[in-house]
């Protein structure tokens, strides 16, 4: 009856000055399983939760190495994420062919954002349905950026995206002030803790998460499962009974209708209401 | 019939495309070296039209961006075109407005790509280029030839300088040259070149680049002494050759 009249294509403004299709694309980011990133002066750590589509399938890769000095973690449509990672790889490789030096992270992020922006202004295109956490190192130090389907980008000390990312954000917000002086090991520990926050009581195991590091003297690489498991064990943070931490966070997330609809495994009722537009 | 007509013009419609050119106005050697605080580069200001030294104030050393100096021998117009090109490159680099800037290493690599690319089109830029600079405390000095051959070294020279200046540099250069000693060494090289390279003129510039920035000297002349017996009787040691 009262359908939204302003959301059938990307280029149509609502009278309130909003672009619904772009906002829907940003919802897609919230549906994906969580990805987190945090940085010190010298290192950036990316982490993500791996969810298999079914018991019978493997999970999809959510962290990609772009170059020796840059990597990304994605949340949302993995297919879009792969296309954008390939674009980033080719930009890096072209830059280092021409200048024999690594592409500054900030530049790559702007190029990526400009690419996403074009999709918000063309009637025959659709915005990318993926959010990217870009971790990188350049002569100015370590950087962490978030790239959004809207074409916006932000630099962060620490950030989390994807489903139940609010819990991880809350954790990171409590602790981020110490990150810039953190050691590499402490960053990884905080990354694992932040990932755990998004699990809602599930046990943190190396089989359901991926961690990657880039830093001074350390090219971007994904830690192998064995190493991650050892770290989880040594930090003693598997934490099955994290009741108090999980409960309020999931309540906070409850405000977002799409987030509930996302977790198909949870069998949460699909909320058919208008997607929340708060960014 | 067509082919006869074609032969009458310089380039006929059916002739193969000929991009390979001959240089018109050329500059001679560039000599450069690393010294304690950065890079010193010297080049004279002659521009030769064939073997006629037709121009006497051609600037062949130019600053590129904040951290680099470019010196060129060979076709002057190609060098000027390259400068226009690099100006645009630096401009677009600045327009990112993100605090990053191309250093000497990046520019050297870029020039290598440009030169090699042009030679692969059989339309080379007819230059030997010397690129020197300092960025983040790192001194950099390299060369690119007109076909894209490139290397780095502690001292370099193009053209005749390769034969006449580099042996001197190999004997006398060392890592800790002071500015004064560096200039003296370059002047020694330039003097030898002036004596023995017919395209050289006695009006040169010496440029300096350090972490603080670039300075290019006003043109000046070297003191010369033409009274050497070898100069007065040049054929004495090569009887019957000419």
């Amino acid at each position: 009856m009262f359908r939204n009249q302003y959301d059938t294509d990307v280029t149509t403004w609502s009278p309130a000055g909003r672009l619904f299709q772009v906002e829907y694309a940003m919802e897609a980011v919230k549906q994906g399983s969580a990805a987190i990133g945090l940085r010190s002066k010298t290192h950036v750590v990316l982490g993500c939760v791996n969810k298999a589509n079914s018991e019978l399938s493997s999970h999809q890769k959510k962290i990609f190495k772009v170059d020796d000095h840059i990597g990304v973690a994605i949340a949302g449509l993995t297919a879009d994420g792969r296309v954008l990672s390939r674009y980033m790889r080719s930009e890096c490789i072209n830059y280092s062919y021409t200048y024999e030096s690594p592409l500054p992270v900030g530049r790559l992020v702007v190029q990526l954002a400009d690419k996403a922006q074009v999709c918000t202004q063309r009637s025959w295109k659709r915005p990318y349905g993926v959010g990217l956490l870009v971790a990188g190192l350049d002569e100015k130090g370590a950087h962490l950026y978030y790239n959004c389907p809207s074409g916006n980008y932000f630099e962060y000390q620490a950030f989390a995206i994807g489903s139940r990312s609010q819990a991880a954000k809350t954790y990171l917000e409590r602790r981020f002030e110490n990150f810039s002086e953190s050691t590499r090991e402490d960053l990884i520990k905080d990354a694992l803790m932040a990932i755990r926050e998004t699990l809602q009581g599930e046990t943190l195991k190396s089989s359901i998460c991926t961690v990657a590091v880039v830093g001074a003297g350390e090219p971007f690489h994904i830690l192998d499962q064995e190493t991650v498991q050892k770290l989880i064990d040594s930090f003693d943070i598997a934490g099955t009974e994290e009741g108090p931490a999980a409960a309020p966070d999931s309540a906070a997330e409850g405000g977002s209708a799409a987030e509930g609809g996302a977790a198909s495994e949870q069998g949460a009722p699909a909320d058919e209401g208008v997607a929340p537009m708060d960014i | 019939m067509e082919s006869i007509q074609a032969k009458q013009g310089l380039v006929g419609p059916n002739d193969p495309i000929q991009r390979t050119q001959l240089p018109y106005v050329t500059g001679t050697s560039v000599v450069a070296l690393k010294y304690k605080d950065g890079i010193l580069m010297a080049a004279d200001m002659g521009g030769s039209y064939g073997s006629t030294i037709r121009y006497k104030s051609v600037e062949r050393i130019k600053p590129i961006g904040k951290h680099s100096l470019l010196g060129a021998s060979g076709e002057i117009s190609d060098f000027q075109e390259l400068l226009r090109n690099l100006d645009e490159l630096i401009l677009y680099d600045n327009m990112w407005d993100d605090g990053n800037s191309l250093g000497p290493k990046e520019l050297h690599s870029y020039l290598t790509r440009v030169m090699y690319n042009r030679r692969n089109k059989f339309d080379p830029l007819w230059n030997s280029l010397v690129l020197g600079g300092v960025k983040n405390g790192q001194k950099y000095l390299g060369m690119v030839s007109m076909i894209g051959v490139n290397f780095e070294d502690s001292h370099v020279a193009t053209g005749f300088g390769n034969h006449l200046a580099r042996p001197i540099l190999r004997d006398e250069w060392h890592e800790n040259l002071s500015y004064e000693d560096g200039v003296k060494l370059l002047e020694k090289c330039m003097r030898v070149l002036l004596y023995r390279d017919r395209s050289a003129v006695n009006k040169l510039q010496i440029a300096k680049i350090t972490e603080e920035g670039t300075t290019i000297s006003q043109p000046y002349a070297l003191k010369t002494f033409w009274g050497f017996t070898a100069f007065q009787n040049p054929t004495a040691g090569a009887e019957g050759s000419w």
Side-chain angles (χ1 to χ4, degrees):
Chain A
M1 272 300 125
F2 299 105
R3 266 187 50 243
N4 190 341
Q5 302 173 62
Y6 305 106
D7 71 350
T8 48
D9 66 71
V10 258
T11 57
T12 302
W13 289 102
S14 85
R18 293 159 54 176
L19 294 167
F20 285 103
Q21 282 295 325
V22 174
E23 292 181 20
Y24 297 159
M26 279 151 52
E27 287 305 311
V29 179
K30 296 189 191 164
Q31 316 249 355
S33 56
I36 61 114
L38 58 164
R39 66 149 223 244
S40 69
K41 273 185 185 151
T42 54
H43 287 79
V44 196
V45 176
L46 292 179
C48 70
V49 180
N50 294 319
K51 280 231 186 77
N53 240 339
S54 90
E55 290 284 308
L56 300 171
S57 78
S58 65
H59 62 79
Q60 283 179 303
K61 207 168 143 68
K62 278 167 62 76
I63 295 188
F64 300 96
K65 178 173 176 151
V66 172
D67 201 342
D68 277 343
H69 67 301
I70 297 180
V72 288
I74 60 167
L77 299 187
T78 318
D80 287 11
R82 275 198 332 268
V83 168
L84 289 177
S85 317
R86 187 176 58 207
Y87 168 76
M88 292 165 85
R89 282 175 179 166
S90 97
E91 288 302 308
C92 279
I93 220 163
N94 285 337
Y95 190 93
S96 51
Y97 171 72
T98 311
Y99 300 108
E100 284 176 20
S101 77
L103 175 59
V105 195
R107 296 228 172 144
L108 181 63
V109 166
V110 174
Q111 284 180 272
L112 191 65
D114 288 352
K115 196 174 162 68
Q117 192 279 337
V118 171
C119 301
T120 69
Q121 222 180 5
R122 301 278 184 274
S123 61
W124 62 93
K125 291 191 170 182
R126 82 164 162 80
Y128 290 99
V130 70
L132 300 98
L133 288 173
V134 184
L137 197 70
D138 58 29
E139 42 183 79
K140 299 215 162 43
H143 299 281
L144 175 67
Y145 291 92
Y146 170 56
N147 267 77
C148 185
S150 64
N152 283 312
Y153 65 95
F154 309 91
E155 185 164 13
Y156 284 98
Q157 181 73 46
F159 199 48
I161 54 173
S163 71
R164 284 192 294 280
S165 58
Q166 188 53 52
K169 266 187 266 183
T170 309
Y171 174 84
L172 294 168
E173 277 162 16
R174 271 206 313 269
R175 298 181 49 89
F176 80 95
E177 267 146 342
N178 309 318
F179 289 167
S180 100
E181 303 300 324
S182 277
T183 63
R184 173 185 182 278
E185 274 59 41
D186 285 342
L187 278 187
I188 295 175
K189 183 177 179 183
D190 278 318
L192 287 166
M193 298 281 265
I195 292 170
R196 189 185 62 175
E197 296 292 312
T198 70
L199 291 179
Q200 231 179 13
E202 213 181 321
T203 318
L204 179 66
K205 288 176 305 203
S206 60
S207 56
I208 56 160
C209 66
T210 308
V211 179
V213 190
V214 61
E218 187 176 12
F220 185 90
H221 64 114
I222 296 172
L223 301 185
D224 60 53
Q225 203 176 318
E226 210 177 308
T227 316
V228 175
Q229 189 57 53
K230 273 187 194 145
L231 287 166
I232 293 173
D233 295 340
S234 70
F235 296 147
D236 195 24
I237 50 174
T240 25
E241 268 74 56
E242 262 291 327
D249 291 330
S250 64
E253 284 287 304
S256 143
E259 198 57 52
S264 52
E265 290 95 331
Q266 252 68 34
D271 196 328
E272 291 298 322
V274 184
M277 300 311 167
D278 50 304
I279 306 163
Chain B
M1 185 64 178
E2 245 182 287
S3 65
I4 294 165
Q5 276 181 334
K7 287 283 178 286
Q8 285 171 344
L10 267 174
V11 181
N14 299 317
D15 285 357
I17 301 167
Q18 294 227 321
R19 289 213 173 86
T20 313
Q21 321 134 2
L22 289 172
Y24 276 80
V25 178
T26 57
T28 181
S29 325
V30 179
V31 187
L33 49 83
K34 287 188 188 175
Y35 78 107
K36 190 158 57 67
D37 305 318
I39 305 292
L40 290 171
M41 196 181 288
D44 73 34
M45 303 188 75
S48 302
Y49 177 69
S51 50
T52 307
I53 302 171
R54 185 168 166 182
Y55 303 99
K56 293 191 276 189
S57 342
V58 183
E59 294 186 348
R60 296 195 288 121
I61 303 177
K62 291 280 184 181
I64 309 289
K66 271 191 214 146
H67 317 284
S68 313
L69 267 179
L70 180 64
S73 53
E75 173 65 42
I76 298 298
S77 67
D78 281 353
F79 176 53
Q80 288 166 344
E81 174 68 18
L82 203 54
L83 288 176
R84 247 195 304 281
N85 189 316
L86 288 169
D87 237 19
E88 188 180 310
L89 183 80
I90 296 294
L91 180 69
Y92 280 118
D93 191 54
N94 283 142
M95 279 166 63
W96 284 94
D97 197 22
D98 60 356
N100 291 302
S101 56
L102 294 169
K105 181 175 117 67
E106 286 78 22
L107 285 175
H108 184 226
S109 170
Y110 175 80
L111 287 170
T112 302
R113 303 301 174 217
V114 171
M115 297 303 263
Y116 184 64
N117 184 252
R118 288 294 295 262
R119 94 90 188 246
N120 280 350
K121 291 178 180 158
F122 284 78
D123 188 16
L125 295 172
W126 211 278
N127 298 109
S128 281
L129 303 170
V130 176
L131 196 109
V134 186
K135 194 185 177 190
N136 302 330
Q138 281 293 102
K139 287 176 263 186
Y140 189 96
L141 183 57
M143 260 189 69
V144 193
S145 83
M146 78 174 194
I147 52 175
V149 177
N150 67 98
F151 56 89
E152 274 180 70
D153 214 331
S154 306
H155 49 79
V156 296
T158 66
F160 245 85
N162 239 333
H163 305 101
L164 299 180
R166 291 213 61 198
I168 301 171
L169 293 169
R170 280 188 209 107
D171 282 346
E172 301 186 20
W173 180 89
H174 60 91
E175 193 79 50
N176 277 320
L177 276 177
S178 67
Y179 170 69
E180 287 75 18
D181 290 347
V183 171
K184 259 185 218 157
L185 184 50
L186 279 184
E187 284 179 347
K188 183 172 184 180
C189 294
M190 295 308 282
R191 187 174 286 111
V192 171
L193 282 163
L194 176 64
Y195 283 145
R196 314 240 77 134
D197 175 2
R198 65 159 168 76
S199 315
V201 298
N202 196 4
K203 184 175 174 184
L204 69 143
Q205 287 177 301
I206 288 188
K208 171 181 88 159
I209 184 163
T210 64
E211 197 74 65
E212 275 71 54
T214 316
T215 38
I216 300 180
S217 78
Q218 287 304 307
Y220 68 102
L222 295 168
K223 288 214 167 60
T224 51
F225 175 72
W226 296 95
F228 296 117
T229 46
F231 287 164
Q232 284 165 347
N233 188 7
T235 59
E239 233 171 301
S241 67
W242 84 88

